[in-house]
């Protein structure tokens, strides 16, 4: 069935029901052992944080909240999958409905609230994942809703302790708008405390640890957060999570007043600007992962030129369908050739030179 028709049918369903169907299809695809996987062009290989990615394109956190759909997503062409956000204890998340489509804007609003089965269940599934045919696996961790911010560090450390054996890299998520108070942990003092503790735990395990930031930080706060990330020994910054803003025409959409984070096309300009700024501030000391509103190959390549060593997507896959990763990867390879770059590495940050 053509994607246009399949999408029409899926979009008649409640978004979480459609997600469950997609997850089922990915499980089947994953168990087929990735035989259908498009082989990414050699120019797309990226070495970042000491890890070998076969392409710069990854599945952003939140699509696979611990179900471990890694093999299916890898088979679609993703070079890495970020599982999570996982909290130490299971939690139900916010009441439904909590995920909304804004098709006119190729956007989503979500207030899922870290619904996940906790580190123990996720750890069992990750442990069962074969090493072959999985690409790079990141694990994104968070705090439980009922853990006060003063004790947040205990939750992050507990999640790192439980899940690091199966993670190629770890992410400290401080930027979901759907856990009350979480984003305050991006401020200098709590950020310093949290990151130095988490890096202190991850570094002896030789696991790169990144911090994921919001697109709603002021330019000063973003610079400060990048400085703290570097000073704490973090291995990278992910820019960005969803936005609580409703930019441009989205503001007049009937769903715009739903509480939650906006993702997809309207987030693009904000996330791109955050990426540019984080790249300039980091000045090559740590890599930046670009995410937010990447809807096609043009957007993905623009992120690389703006400074992204890796690019992640979520909403683009929802609107673009299962061939979206292969299309984006083909488009990046074409653009690298067009601009005379032999590798993604050569193109990272090209706009700043
Ligand atoms: C339904 C949904 C759930 C998400 N859950 C998480 C999450 O648990 N942890 C996280 O770090 N980001 C989460 N995100 C944010 C995405 O990882 C990504 O940063 C954001 O959607 C912007 O990228 P996009 O425009 O390509 O979707 C979620 C996004 C969506 C749409």
């Amino acid at each position: 069935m053509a994607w246009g028709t399949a999408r029409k049918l899926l979009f008649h369903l409640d978004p979480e029901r459609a997600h469950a169907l997609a997850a089922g299809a990915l499980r089947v695809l994953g168990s087929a052992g990735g035989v259908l996987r498009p082989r990414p062009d050699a120019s797309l290989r990226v070495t970042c944080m000491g890890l070998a990615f076969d392409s710069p394109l990854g599945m952003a956190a939140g699509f696979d909240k611990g179900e471990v759909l890694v093999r299916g997503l890898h088979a679609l062409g993703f070079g890495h999958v970020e599982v999570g956000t996982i909290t130490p204890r299971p939690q139900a998340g916010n009441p439904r409905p909590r995920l909304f489509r804004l098709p006119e804007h190729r956007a989503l609003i979500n207030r899922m609230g870290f619904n996940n089965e906790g580190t123990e269940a996720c750890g069992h599934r990750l442990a069962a994942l074969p090493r072959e045919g999985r690409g790079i696996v990141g694990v994104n961790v968070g705090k439980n809703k009922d853990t006060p911010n003063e004790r947040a560090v205990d939750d992050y450390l507990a999640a790192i302790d439980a899940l690091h054996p199966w993670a190629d890299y770890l992410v400290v998520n401080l930027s979901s708008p759907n856990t009350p108070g979480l984003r305050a942990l991006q401020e200098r003092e709590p950020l310093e405390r949290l990151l130095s503790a988490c890096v202190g735990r991850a570094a002896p395990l030789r696991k790169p640890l990144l911090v994921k930031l919001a697109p709603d930080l002021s330019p000063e706060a973003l610079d400060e957060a990048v400085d703290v990330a570097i000073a704490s020994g973090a291995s990278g910054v992910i820019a960005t999570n969803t936005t609580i803003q409703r930019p441009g025409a989205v503001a007049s959409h009937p769903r715009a007043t739903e509480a939650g984070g906006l993702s997809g096309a309207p987030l693009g300009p904000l996330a791109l600007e955050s990426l540019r700024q984080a790249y300039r501030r980091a000045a090559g000391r740590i890599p930046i992962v670009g995410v937010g509103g990447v809807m096609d190959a043009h957007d993905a390549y623009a992120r690389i030129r703006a400074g992204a060593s890796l690019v992640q997507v979520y909403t683009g896959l929802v609107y673009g369908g299962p061939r979206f990763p292969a299309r984006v990867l083909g488009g990046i390879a074409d653009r690298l050739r067009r601009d005379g770059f032999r590798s993604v590495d050569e193109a990272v940050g090209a706009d700043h030179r």
Side-chain angles (χ1 to χ4, degrees):
M1 191 191 305
W3 170 240
T5 314
R7 191 174 92 170
K8 261 198 206 112
L9 293 173
L10 280 171
F11 276 25
H12 276 299
L13 301 174
D14 163 76
E16 286 199 53
R17 177 95 194 94
H19 179 87
L21 279 180
L26 284 166
R27 262 189 220 101
V28 174
L29 184 63
S31 61
V35 281
L36 304 171
R37 184 170 206 266
R39 196 157 292 286
D41 196 277
S43 67
L44 295 174
R45 288 188 199 130
V46 175
T47 303
C48 184
M49 304 179 294
L51 300 170
F53 296 77
D54 72 3
S55 89
L57 189 68
M59 181 76 239
F63 187 90
D64 181 345
K65 285 179 180 278
E67 296 163 86
V68 185
L69 306 168
V70 171
R71 276 162 67 84
L73 289 165
H74 184 67
L76 294 187
F78 287 110
H80 70 282
V81 175
E82 194 169 302
V83 173
T85 295
I86 310 296
T87 55
R89 286 167 286 117
Q91 61 180 34
N94 288 320
R96 296 184 194 200
R98 54 194 179 176
L99 175 57
F100 307 90
R101 298 186 194 98
L102 292 73
E104 303 82 350
H105 300 284
R106 292 183 298 151
L108 298 170
I109 290 176
N110 92 83
R111 52 168 178 269
M112 306 299 287
F114 289 170
N115 55 309
N116 79 107
E117 292 183 74
T119 51
E120 198 181 329
C122 180
H124 284 308
R125 293 203 190 100
L126 285 170
L129 184 66
R131 284 268 153 196
E132 291 277 291
R134 53 168 258 179
I136 299 288
V137 176
V139 175
N140 174 313
V141 298
K143 75 166 192 73
N144 280 106
K145 184 179 178 184
D146 57 5
T147 301
N149 272 6
E150 306 79 68
R151 291 215 309 272
V153 66
D154 298 341
D155 273 13
Y156 285 94
L157 292 177
I160 290 170
D161 286 345
L163 296 176
H164 73 80
W166 303 287
D168 295 309
Y169 71 86
L170 295 157
V171 179
V172 170
N173 178 14
L174 303 177
S175 46
S176 165
N178 304 313
T179 295
L182 188 79
R183 286 181 164 200
L185 296 172
Q186 298 172 108
E187 288 161 23
R188 177 179 281 279
E189 279 182 11
L191 185 62
E192 274 169 354
R193 264 199 306 276
L194 196 80
L195 280 186
S196 50
C198 292
V199 172
R201 194 63 61 94
L205 304 165
R206 302 180 149 278
K207 300 287 167 163
L209 182 132
L210 298 87
V211 58
K212 184 165 177 180
L213 300 175
D216 303 316
L217 295 172
S218 68
E220 298 73 34
L222 176 57
D223 276 349
E224 202 166 74
V226 172
D227 291 348
V228 172
I230 294 169
S232 313
S235 299
V237 164
I238 305 186
T240 67
N241 213 310
T242 56
T243 178
I244 54 170
Q245 301 175 54
R246 301 290 182 262
V250 174
S252 49
H253 191 280
R255 298 238 155 92
T257 50
E258 292 291 351
L262 174 75
S263 59
L267 168 62
L270 280 173
L272 175 61
E273 197 38 48
S274 300
L275 161 69
R276 270 191 210 295
Q277 196 195 324
Y279 178 80
R280 273 198 301 267
R281 190 73 177 187
R285 288 171 291 172
I286 51 172
I288 315 294
V289 179
V291 50
V294 171
M295 306 306 282
D296 55 26
H298 168 86
D299 294 342
Y301 185 62
R303 293 304 157 100
I304 292 168
R305 291 194 59 121
S309 297
L310 299 166
V311 176
Q312 297 181 336
V313 297
Y314 184 144
T315 309
L317 179 70
V318 171
Y319 284 94
R323 290 191 213 282
F324 174 80
R327 254 192 335 264
V328 170
L329 289 176
I332 297 174
D334 289 347
R335 286 165 173 81
L336 287 172
R337 258 192 303 278
R338 180 196 69 194
D339 292 352
F341 296 120
R342 278 163 303 172
S343 66
V344 173
D345 249 2
E346 285 185 5
V348 174
D351 287 349
H352 300 264
R353 295 194 278 272

